[in-house]
Amino acid sequence: MTRAIIMVIDSMGIGAMPDHEEFGDVAECNTLKNVCEFNKGLNVPNLEKMGLGNLQDFTGIKQEKNPIATYATLVEKSKGKDTTTGHWEIAGITLDRAFATFPNGFPQELLEKFIKETNCGGILANKPASGTAIIEELNETHHETKFPIIYTSADSVFQIAVDTDLIPLETLYQWCEIARRILTEDNYYVSRVIARPYKIIDGKPTRISKDRRDYSIEPIAPTILDEIKNNGGKVIGIGKIEDIFSKAGITHAIHTGSNKEGLELTLKTVKRELDLEEIAYQKGLEYNDTEIIFTNLVDTDMLYGHRNDAQGYGRAIEEIDTYIAPIIDAMSREDILIITADHGCDPTVAGTDHTREKVPFLMYSKSLPSQGNLGEIEGFDCIASFIRDWI
């Protein structure tokens, strides 16, 4: 069995892109470097062995004389700094124009159509906001009116937050599906509709990560995932992968509530201990011996990057590192492991939005000697090319 394992450490960028100013970012943004400096170093021995510290001078991440992996810095081709753009490019799609953003809120005609088709009665907010801050600000009004909280960010997102003890989770998902359809039919070119459920826990509005769902625009072209699926292979999405690709090119999928759960599921899948039939889109199908395991580890971005929590960000990277050795141990000689990121979200710079950054690339196989530093490579889509050549 020939397998490719892709692990995306969501938002772990490693330095500002040349065009960072066009996206409202500062030259100092460098998510990993600044997180390392804030924490006075990170304990990541497995990432060190793969060569992560050879890419730059990261405080506390040592350079490795004989790295086990091939490593490089990837420069994004597409115009964007969001999850969808980054993951699509990893899978082979590049975008020549950025998704639409709404710094002044969404147009009134869009909201009126949403209110009419959902029968929600009205909406709250309609402005760029931090997700944790907006639910604290409007929770009381939300409970008085039962209106959903609609907000955006510097990214191309239409986010809907509700207290699911007030509005059922199924209703929130239905509202998101309606929003996704309206945005697509009316050509608003919005990357994602995001369901943001929360509950009152210990008197405080608290987001429920495991019930979050992303409703992405459908991929504009086939990806390496489609190639593997259409040729009879398996494509297993762990975390929000199936949402990012709107299920295109995916054969099996499972959502996660935390990085730890995603890492555990990835390890079980590599060890062939996960019941794939249970998470298959179509039961009882037979597949050939090619497989992609595609994992998104979102806590670095969602819990720490957007909340300016550099300490938590560092702990999350350290947790990821503890799983790399057992994943490598479980790999066969026909497996290849690629660790990368999709954009930046530097928790040490002003603001709470994504940052336009380059990303690391680490590639390892027991049957592929390290090729050392490949330098800067233009395009995250080189990952799709490497996987195509491997499989």
Side-chain angles (χ1 to χ4, degrees), residues 317-342:
I317 296 173
E318 291 178 337
E319 178 184 53
I320 292 167
D321 187 83
T322 65
Y323 281 85
I324 293 174
I327 286 171
I328 285 176
D329 288 344
M331 290 168 59
S332 74
R333 293 184 61 79
E334 289 72 40
D335 295 339
I336 193 165
L337 170 65
I338 294 173
I339 299 175
T340 189
D342 53 345

Side-chain angles (χ1 to χ4, degrees), residues 46-305:
N46 296 299
L47 287 168
E48 281 180 352
K49 289 177 185 176
M50 296 184 79
L52 181 62
N54 295 25
L55 290 173
Q56 286 181 32
D57 182 16
F58 299 118
T59 301
I61 302 181
K62 297 189 291 291
Q63 292 190 8
E64 173 63 45
K65 287 185 179 179
N66 298 298
I68 63 171
T70 299
Y71 52 97
T73 298
L74 305 187
V75 180
E76 190 167 19
K77 290 179 184 174
S78 301
K79 292 296 183 180
K81 57 175 183 176
D82 61 276
T83 296
T84 302
T85 302
H87 281 75
W88 281 12
E89 189 162 314
I90 287 168
I93 295 175
T94 57
L95 300 176
D96 58 5
R97 67 182 178 114
F99 289 116
T101 56
F102 298 86
N104 299 311
F106 298 104
Q108 191 60 36
E109 60 269 21
L110 167 61
L111 296 176
E112 289 175 358
K113 194 168 185 178
F114 173 82
I115 291 167
K116 180 180 179 181
E117 296 202 21
T118 59
N119 199 31
C120 65
I123 65 102
L124 303 175
N126 188 31
K127 61 182 180 180
S130 158
T132 51
I134 200 70
I135 60 175
E136 289 185 8
E137 174 189 341
L138 293 173
N139 175 64
E140 187 174 333
T141 309
H142 173 56
H143 276 255
E144 290 172 356
T145 62
K146 294 189 178 181
F147 294 166
I149 301 168
I150 307 291
Y151 65 105
T152 188
S153 72
D155 298 318
S156 182
V157 289
F158 185 103
Q159 304 187 85
I160 308 176
V162 303
D163 181 344
T164 53
D165 286 331
L166 181 72
I167 305 293
L169 185 62
E170 294 74 16
T171 300
L172 171 59
Y173 291 162
Q174 289 169 5
W175 288 352
C176 288
E177 290 170 1
I178 291 170
R180 175 72 273 167
R181 177 175 52 76
I182 294 171
L183 290 165
T184 301
E185 289 177 351
D186 293 355
N187 297 314
Y188 282 99
Y189 203 53
V190 171
S191 171
R192 287 179 294 158
V193 175
I194 305 179
R196 293 290 196 178
Y198 73 92
K199 291 178 180 288
I200 307 302
I201 299 175
D202 296 328
K204 182 179 180 180
T206 304
R207 297 202 301 198
I208 309 300
S209 299
K210 69 180 180 65
D211 291 331
R212 165 187 168 158
R213 293 290 183 273
D214 292 43
Y215 298 80
S216 288
I217 191 170
E218 292 186 3
I220 61 173
T223 68
I224 186 66
L225 311 183
D226 295 292
E227 290 180 35
I228 301 304
K229 177 184 175 181
N230 293 342
N231 283 303
K234 293 191 290 290
V235 179
I236 303 160
I238 298 174
K240 60 179 184 177
I241 294 298
E242 71 166 335
D243 292 347
I244 294 168
F245 289 91
S246 195
K247 299 186 178 181
I250 310 294
T251 62
H252 302 71
I254 184 167
H255 280 267
T256 57
S258 66
N259 273 6
K260 185 174 181 62
E261 185 181 358
L263 290 160
E264 292 280 0
L265 288 167
T266 302
L267 179 57
K268 287 184 69 174
T269 307
V270 175
K271 294 168 75 173
R272 300 185 175 89
E273 294 177 353
L274 187 66
D275 184 355
L276 295 182
E277 186 69 8
E278 186 177 324
I279 62 170
Y281 286 165
Q282 292 181 270
K283 310 297 183 184
L285 293 185
E286 293 186 4
Y287 299 90
N288 63 30
D289 288 337
T290 58
E291 182 176 302
I292 290 179
I293 303 166
F294 201 166
T295 299
N296 173 274
L297 301 169
V298 74
D299 288 359
T300 37
D301 181 63
M302 181 176 67
L303 298 183
Y304 307 116

